[in-house]
Amino acid sequence: MQPISFARSFLSKGLSKSVGKASATSTVLQPAILIGVLGCAISVNAQAAVGASTNNDNPTNGLQLISLNADEIADENDADNLSNNDADNLSNIADMLDVADEPDDSIDSVPDESALTDDADDIDTEIPAEVAQVSLNAISPETLKTFVAVVDLIRRQYVDAVNDEELFSNAMSGMLTKLDSHAEFLDAEAYENLRAFTEGDVGDIGIKVNYQPEAGYWVVTEVIDDSPADKKGIAVGDYLHQVDEFKLDEGRQVNDVEQLLTGIAGTQVDIVTSKAGRRKHTTTLQRNNSHPQIIETKLVDGIAIVKLPAFQNNSREKLLEGLINLNAPISGILLDMRDNPGGVLTSAVSVASLFMDDTDVVQVQARQNKSSVLSTQGDAILKPLPLVVLQNRYSASAAEVLASSLQAQKRATIIGEVSYGKGSVQSVIPLNDEQAVKLTVANYMTVAGKQIDEIGVEPDVTLSGSENTWEQQALEIVKARALGSGIRFVRKNATKE
């Protein structure tokens, strides 16, 4: 079983390019789980990760293009080769990310279940030269004494009773979050949600909020039963003052706050609340109120509008299936990646492979290695179709990888606003069957070597005003470039009827 890649996007960590991010390093459990701005990962089979194209039941096997001008059907043998080669070539992407022994390839990868064993051979014990002289047993006795004293003080003096398990869990979480805003200690529930994300879940903490001018605060108006917020005592009427490092005021929009609270299922967020303005309290919550993501496809005046909410293992197949189900000629594509938090990195590469062939997509740079370049694989099935990509400030990580590569090759026009700006990669490293640690282990850049982190992707056409009008504006741009005669997507067996 081979590892796969994740590009993680934490939209919850900030708006556009205003977030400062620090890169942390770590000794990596081999093979590691890696993610790159709202995303995380877990053990899955790499064959599933690169797409169900290896599955005989895949609804997109044998996909063909039919030119309405010539009214001819592609040769059956060509279609067979397309399907088989696609599967084989996409498998190569996962091979490129095999991190069994090579640190520079341990980019957003996911281990198999054998990585959860105690086998010493799975552990990378090499210690970086800069800290090699420091013994792990050389922690100052005074430091240990202070730590124990603080634990004892909390036991005796804190206003509420707190058990030691919770204290030590908080200590580990604090140690990691101090490294950078993306490092986390994952408990069983969070870890399981990260595993589930590969199938398509984005989550929140289970609250709704609105700004109330009479109070001068953002106020919780709904709390979902048994949600993470409910379990931590967040109640209707509480004031919400801050999400992570972002203070909330009347200048925020509801969508802004919702996106700060939303992220890939299993990731965590810190919120500052109070009871009607009394003592403020910081609560760390995990986004375990999950929402399965669906790729929505519709046809407007011959243009296929595809809403891609996140990158999961099956995004490529679901996108193609949506085009087939339109059952009509398509003369252009509008790919809507607004609010897309990222996800599986190999999924973004395989989607890019639908539109471009023999093209570099992204550079990935680990601490001690040269850059690795991930490239498209297989036949670019959608290459003939004009493409416009719609993004906003919450489009992040893998979404930025795809947009930047399409833009660099002049394959698509990017419209909207500057994207989020997330260019670091996180590794989710299992500690045991139920717990894991997430660390920043690499950065990625555009194929031209331009930084994405804290900068984002600049659109070719900037849109402003209400986002409700953006789709129509984008549609007009695609229409101006639409093919005179469209392309119909069909399943192979449909051509024989």
Side-chain angles (χ1 to χ4, degrees):
M1 188 178 296
Q2 297 175 333
I4 64 171
S5 290
F6 272 70
R8 165 181 173 262
S9 58
F10 284 110
L11 298 184
S12 58
K13 297 298 181 183
L15 303 178
S16 190
K17 55 186 177 181
S18 60
V19 185
K21 303 174 179 69
S23 178
T25 58
S26 67
T27 297
V28 180
L29 179 66
Q30 299 290 346
I33 304 178
L34 298 162
I35 55 181
V37 165
L38 276 183
C40 291
I42 60 100
S43 293
V44 295
N45 190 301
Q47 293 300 325
V50 296
S53 56
T54 57
N55 189 330
N56 291 332
D57 295 329
N58 185 346
T60 63
N61 275 348
L63 184 70
Q64 298 184 64
L65 307 184
I66 298 178
S67 170
L68 298 190
N69 280 333
D71 196 25
E72 294 176 351
I73 298 174
D75 184 273
E76 253 184 57
N77 293 328
D78 291 341
D80 288 336
N81 291 334
L82 181 152
S83 177
N84 294 332
N85 290 339
D86 237 11
D88 292 338
N89 288 328
L90 286 174
S91 296
N92 291 337
I93 302 176
D95 293 341
M96 294 172 67
L97 296 169
D98 191 333
V99 293
D101 298 305
E102 310 235 1
D104 64 328
D105 282 338
S106 61
I107 306 306
D108 287 357
S109 62
V110 180
D112 60 23
E113 294 298 332
S114 64
L116 304 180
T117 69
D118 294 328
D119 190 342
D121 291 338
D122 289 337
I123 307 296
D124 181 358
T125 57
E126 182 178 349
I127 299 175
E130 59 267 31
V131 297
Q133 73 277 12
V134 180
S135 169
L136 295 179
N137 296 322
I139 299 174
S140 166
E142 288 301 316
T143 299
L144 294 174
K145 180 179 178 181
T146 301
F147 181 80
V148 172
V150 171
V151 172
D152 185 59
L153 180 65
I154 294 172
R155 284 170 171 170
R156 293 183 290 105
Q157 299 292 336
Y158 186 63
V159 62
D160 298 319
V162 182
N163 64 49
D164 287 351
E165 289 290 335
E166 184 176 353
L167 287 178
F168 278 84
S169 178
N170 290 344
M172 290 183 286
S173 180
M175 174 175 62
L176 289 162
T177 54
K178 282 293 184 180
L179 291 175
D180 68 55
S181 61
H182 305 309
E184 297 180 37
F185 173 73
L186 306 172
D187 63 16
E189 187 175 11
Y191 189 24
E192 182 57 35
N193 273 280
L194 293 183
R195 296 171 188 257
F197 172 71
T198 61
E199 302 306 322
D201 288 353
V202 169
D204 59 40
I205 61 173
I207 65 173
K208 298 290 185 182
V209 296
N210 276 302
Y211 184 76
Q212 296 187 358
E214 63 276 13
Y217 292 101
W218 285 86
V219 179
V220 177
T221 57
E222 180 183 346
V223 179
I224 297 174
D225 290 342
D226 291 326
S227 66
D230 185 38
K231 292 175 181 178
K232 286 293 185 75
I234 306 300
V236 172
D238 287 357
Y239 291 175
L240 180 62
H241 302 279
Q242 188 170 327
V243 180
D244 284 328
E245 64 267 43
F246 296 95
K247 295 182 179 180
L248 306 183
D249 54 30
E250 68 277 7
R252 300 282 184 187
Q253 301 296 315
V254 172
N255 186 57
D256 289 335
V257 180
E258 287 180 354
Q259 289 302 318
L260 287 172
L261 294 171
T262 300
I264 286 176
T267 58
Q268 72 182 27
V269 61
D270 292 332
I271 64 171
V272 177
T273 59
S274 68
K275 302 293 183 183
R278 293 192 288 271
R279 183 171 66 93
K280 294 180 180 179
H281 179 68
T282 300
T283 306
T284 299
L285 298 167
Q286 288 166 338
R287 300 180 180 92
N288 294 337
N289 185 53
S290 61
H291 315 285
Q293 299 298 291
I294 299 172
I295 296 179
E296 299 176 359
T297 307
K298 62 182 179 180
L299 192 67
V300 178
D301 298 332
I303 305 299
I305 301 177
V306 181
K307 174 65 176 175
L308 186 59
F311 289 93
Q312 283 85 37
N313 294 340
N314 60 2
S315 292
R316 172 188 178 275
E317 285 66 41
K318 290 297 183 183
L319 191 158
L320 289 176
E321 187 176 3
L323 296 179
I324 291 172
N325 290 338
L326 289 176
N327 195 28
I330 299 169
S331 55
I333 294 179
L334 170 56
L335 186 62
D336 189 347
M337 293 199 297
R338 286 178 293 176
D339 303 333
N340 184 315
V344 183
L345 183 57
T346 50
S347 175
V349 175
S350 64
V351 171
S353 299
L354 292 173
F355 297 98
M356 304 180 292
D357 51 22
D358 299 322
T359 303
D360 293 340
V361 177
V362 62
Q363 293 186 42
V364 187
Q365 177 68 62
R367 183 178 67 185
Q368 297 175 338
N369 301 89
K370 296 180 180 179
S371 295
S372 297
V373 178
L374 303 184
S375 304
T376 59
Q377 301 288 327
D379 295 308
I381 300 172
L382 306 181
K383 187 175 181 179
L385 291 169
L387 175 65
V388 167
V389 173
L390 183 57
Q391 68 176 29
N392 65 3
R393 75 189 78 174
Y394 304 113
S395 305
S397 193
E400 293 174 295
V401 167
L402 179 58
S404 65
S405 64
L406 292 169
Q407 184 182 56
Q409 299 301 323
K410 301 187 184 304
R411 175 61 185 88
T413 299
I414 313 301
I415 71 172
E417 59 187 352
V418 178
S419 61
Y420 177 84
K422 170 65 172 66
S424 62
V425 180
Q426 281 63 46
S427 171
V428 177
I429 306 169
L431 299 175
N432 50 52
D433 288 340
E434 295 187 342
Q435 295 173 317
V437 167
K438 183 168 57 184
L439 288 173
T440 301
V441 297
N443 294 296
Y444 57 81
M445 299 171 289
T446 69
V447 290
K450 294 182 179 179
Q451 186 173 330
I452 293 176
D453 205 40
E454 300 186 43
I455 295 176
V457 178
E458 291 274 354
D460 299 308
V461 178
T462 300
L463 301 180
S464 58
S466 173
E467 280 197 39
N468 294 332
T469 68
W470 287 14
E471 181 181 292
Q472 185 58 43
Q473 294 181 64
L475 195 58
E476 295 303 320
I477 294 176
V478 188
K479 285 180 181 179
R481 305 171 185 180
L483 298 178
S485 181
I487 296 174
R488 184 190 298 268
F489 294 85
V490 298
R491 292 180 177 85
K492 181 178 179 180
N493 57 7
T495 66
K496 298 179 179 180
E497 295 176 355

